[in-house]
Each structure stands twice: as structure tokens, then as C-alpha cells.
Amino acid sequence: MKKLMFMTSVVMVFFLIPNLQIHAYPFEPVDIEGHWAYEELDQFAKASLVEGYELSDGRREIRPYQSITRAEFVAILNRALDLKKVEGGTDFKDIKGKWFEESVRIASSHGLVYGMGENMFEPNRPITRAEIASIVIRAMEDSIDFSKGSAKRFEDVSQHWALDAINQASKVGIIHGVSTTEFKPNRNANRAESIVLIKRALDKEQRNAPTEEYLVNLIHQLSEEWTSALETKDYEKLKATQDRTTGYYEAMQSISISYDIKGMEDGTSVEYDITTPKQGYAVHISNRFADVKITQGEMERTVTFPYERNGSNVWTSSVSEVGTYRFYKEDGTWKIYDIQSQEEDELLLY
């Protein structure tokens, strides 16, 4: 689990205050370390696409091995696809007044779910692996090219109602099966399997993906806007940088900014000089997720305090911008939800 080890730009202290960690609790589930699906579960938690279960101490669990209901799956899928309600859909009788009513209505309006007869959705029934394959294929039919590849020859799906969807999903690598010959279509899916299948599908979407240059430029813009706002003590501009972030990084950035503003109000000032220009490349880009690795980039940061600290009121340090910047497209805007710095236990904040 990443420690909250901020290098806040104005206060200039490494913060290892225990109660700050609670702000990370919603984004750092305690039960996924070492899990085979850790990477996908961590990304969905950091991007606020899965909320998990809150414990008595405020921490969260994903409960990856637990079965997932039809309503829970639809809610996560809607968030991942950033779906909004459109005209149409089915008015299911068994969802009214429940927490999942809006999610199911949205999925139905997009033709992703059809119900189980007699106007019933059966929201609390565990969803099967076949149902997930079918829903995911419907969701991605316009954004993934299913014409390429070869379907896996699962022996247990030849007469199954979801055969076409299972074949389509296996052709492009969204599903792999429980073995080379079995898919287990009627087995209840667990929460980890569901999130992995959604993430694999999202990673296959390429038709509307941004360019590498565009994403690298977004990183430049965040850096320039944040440091400029600190130098000019422009509090509103500083707060506006949060429009470029979401999820985990936005929450941690908010804490950093609050310390920055307090320091500036107390008379502290800061200046930045670029010593090594940023360079980087895209590790992965799809329609909704992207990872960009910055391989070099460093600034010198000079902080002037209104009082002396250790015999001087000026303190200079280096800020490395090297790391992996993780993006998610939210409400049509590409936003950073995590930055994995070159130091494993540190979070890059200006």
C-alpha cells in the first residue's frame, strides 16, 4: 500500500501524519494485495469505478472472491463506460426505489440488459459468466473490431444461449476460460472476474483513442498550471487544477493544495525552474484508459519562508516528474487518477 508521503510545494515537509491516510482508504482496498487481479482491481479502485465495502475503521474491501449480483455488475459497468440515460429501456418492476434503480435504467436504455421475463430484472441474483460475456459484447459492439481472431473451442458452450457472445469475447481475448476447453458459462462470476473482464474489454477499445502527443501535453499542462498558480499565489487557479484529476489523485491533490494555500497565506512563496525538460511515451492507450510514462523531467524548487528555518529562510530542492501517469476519460475529459512515481512509496505532488 502506498504511503502518503507528500512533498507539498509550500510547506516543504514530508508528511507522514497517520490521520492523512484515511483520505486514501476509499482508493486502497485492504484485501487485494497479492491477488491475481490486483492490477485491474487497483486501477478500478483508484479511478473510483468500484467503491467496495466500508469497514468499521473506514477502510474498504473489494471482496474479490465474492459473487457479484446483476445490479452490482451493471453499476460498475455503467461507471466504467461513463453511461448516461437515453430514451427507451424497460421499466422493470423489481428495481423501483432501490439503490440500483438508476443504474439498471441506464443500462436498459442502452440495450445492454433485457431482464428475466415478466418485467423482472432479478437485480440481487448473482450474475453468471455467460451473462457477463453477453452484456459486455453488447456494450462494446460499436467500439471493438470483433472480425479478427479465432474463437476458443470451449466444450461446454456449444449449445449455450450465449454461444455467439462467448465466441466473440474469446476471439479478441476478453475471456480466456477456466481451462483450454472449459468456460463454465453458468457458474456465478466473482467480483474480481467481473472487473477483469470489463477492463480487458475497455483495453480493446481503440477507435477513438487519443494520441500519445495529446496525453503527454496534458501532463505538461497540469505541471505548468499547478506550478504557475503556486508562484503567483493564485488560489483559484490552483484549485482549478483539480479539474484535470479524478479519483485517488484528486483526493490526494486536494490535501496537498490545502497545505499549499495555508503556507502561502502565512507568507511563504515558491519558485520553480526547469532543469531537465519532460520526455515520455505512452505505455497503453485505449478509448477510456491510458498510461503514460515520463522518463525524464526535473525542476528546482526554491521556497522562501517569512521566518528563518535552521538558520535560513530559503530552502531549495529538486522535484522529479518521472513516473507513470494514469488517465481515465471521465465525462468526456481525460483526467489523471494516479501517478506512480519512480520511488515506489511516494506520490508525486508539486
Side-chain angles (χ1 to χ4, degrees):
M1 182 177 293
K2 187 181 294 183
K3 294 179 288 188
L4 292 192
M5 201 166 178
F6 304 178
M7 295 180 288
T8 57
S9 38
V10 174
V11 184
M12 297 306 300
V13 178
F14 283 101
F15 287 98
L16 290 172
I17 303 173
N19 66 351
L20 286 180
Q21 189 69 48
I22 64 175
H23 296 280
Y25 284 173
F27 312 99
E28 295 187 333
V30 298
D31 60 345
I32 65 173
E33 193 74 36
H35 193 278
W36 66 268
Y38 173 82
E39 186 68 17
E40 293 86 353
L41 296 172
D42 179 61
Q43 288 182 47
F44 267 50
K46 293 280 175 58
S48 294
L49 298 180
V50 60
E51 297 175 355
Y53 300 87
E54 186 172 0
L55 305 178
S56 59
D57 63 357
R59 298 176 189 273
R60 298 288 180 96
E61 289 181 340
I62 293 290
R63 300 179 186 173
Y65 295 108
Q66 180 175 295
S67 62
I68 182 170
T69 68
R70 287 164 54 81
E72 289 172 330
F73 177 78
V74 165
I76 296 172
L77 182 65
N78 283 354
R79 290 190 207 112
L81 296 177
D82 200 18
L83 295 181
K84 304 295 186 290
K85 192 175 187 302
V86 296
E87 293 297 321
T90 303
D91 187 22
F92 297 114
K93 295 187 293 186
D94 55 353
I95 66 171
K96 294 180 180 179
K98 307 295 177 59
W99 68 264
F100 44 73
E101 179 178 3
E102 184 65 13
S103 292
V104 175
R105 288 187 184 280
I106 289 172
S108 177
S109 73
H110 286 270
L112 305 187
V113 296
Y114 298 138
M116 304 303 297
E118 297 183 358
N119 251 19
M120 304 293 282
F121 181 67
E122 297 187 8
N124 296 315
R125 178 173 64 75
I127 195 167
T128 67
R129 289 165 53 82
E131 288 174 322
I132 285 180
S134 182
I135 293 171
V136 167
I137 293 302
R138 290 184 204 131
M140 307 295 182
E141 60 184 356
D142 294 327
S143 57
I144 296 177
D145 183 1
F146 291 103
S147 64
K148 300 176 182 178
S150 300
K152 295 184 180 295
R153 297 183 178 277
F154 298 123
E155 296 175 356
D156 56 351
V157 302
S158 61
Q159 302 299 317
H160 199 277
W161 63 266
L163 174 62
D164 289 344
I166 293 168
N167 283 341
Q168 293 280 72
S170 70
K171 281 173 64 175
V172 297
I174 295 174
I175 60 173
H176 297 158
V178 299
S179 72
T180 57
T181 59
E182 289 186 311
F183 178 64
K184 299 288 186 184
N186 297 321
R187 190 175 77 183
N188 293 338
N190 63 40
R191 291 170 61 80
E193 289 173 327
S194 302
I195 290 170
V196 167
L197 288 178
I198 293 173
K199 184 59 168 60
R200 283 182 193 155
L202 292 171
D203 286 345
K204 301 293 181 183
E205 294 184 303
Q206 299 289 330
R207 291 177 178 174
N208 297 310
T211 64
E212 176 181 88
E213 181 182 9
Y214 176 80
L215 293 173
V216 171
N217 189 50
L218 289 182
I219 296 172
H220 282 294
Q221 290 174 14
L222 174 62
S223 173
E224 290 169 0
E225 290 172 9
W226 199 336
T227 56
S228 173
L230 289 168
E231 289 179 326
T232 59
K233 298 189 177 183
D234 189 333
Y235 302 158
E236 293 307 311
K237 183 177 180 180
L238 184 60
K239 293 174 183 177
T241 60
Q242 291 183 265
D243 293 339
R244 295 187 177 276
T245 62
T246 189
Y248 172 70
Y249 195 74
E250 181 184 16
M252 300 303 101
Q253 179 191 21
S254 176
I255 299 168
S256 177
I257 287 174
S258 69
Y259 278 105
D260 289 341
I261 291 175
K262 183 180 184 302
M264 289 187 289
E265 289 175 338
D266 290 342
T268 302
S269 61
V270 62
E271 293 182 356
Y272 290 87
D273 288 310
I274 297 173
T275 54
T276 305
K278 282 191 291 294
Q279 289 186 10
Y281 63 92
V283 178
H284 169 76
I285 303 178
S286 63
N287 286 10
R288 295 179 175 87
F289 276 92
D291 289 346
V292 175
K293 188 173 184 63
I294 296 298
T295 55
Q296 69 172 43
E298 191 168 291
M299 295 183 290
E300 183 180 82
R301 175 177 50 195
T302 302
V303 179
T304 303
F305 297 96
Y307 49 83
E308 286 193 359
R309 294 165 57 93
N310 298 323
S312 175
N313 70 330
V314 178
W315 199 60
T316 301
S317 63
S318 295
V319 178
S320 173
E321 297 183 277
V322 173
T324 300
Y325 293 65
R326 297 194 134 167
F327 289 87
Y328 170 66
K329 191 175 184 181
E330 180 183 76
D331 294 327
T333 302
W334 283 94
K335 299 182 178 183
I336 295 171
Y337 69 89
D338 191 19
I339 301 178
Q340 299 179 326
S341 74
Q342 60 181 341
E343 298 296 333
E344 183 178 352
D345 290 333
E346 292 183 7
L347 180 66
L348 171 63
L349 292 160
Y350 296 94

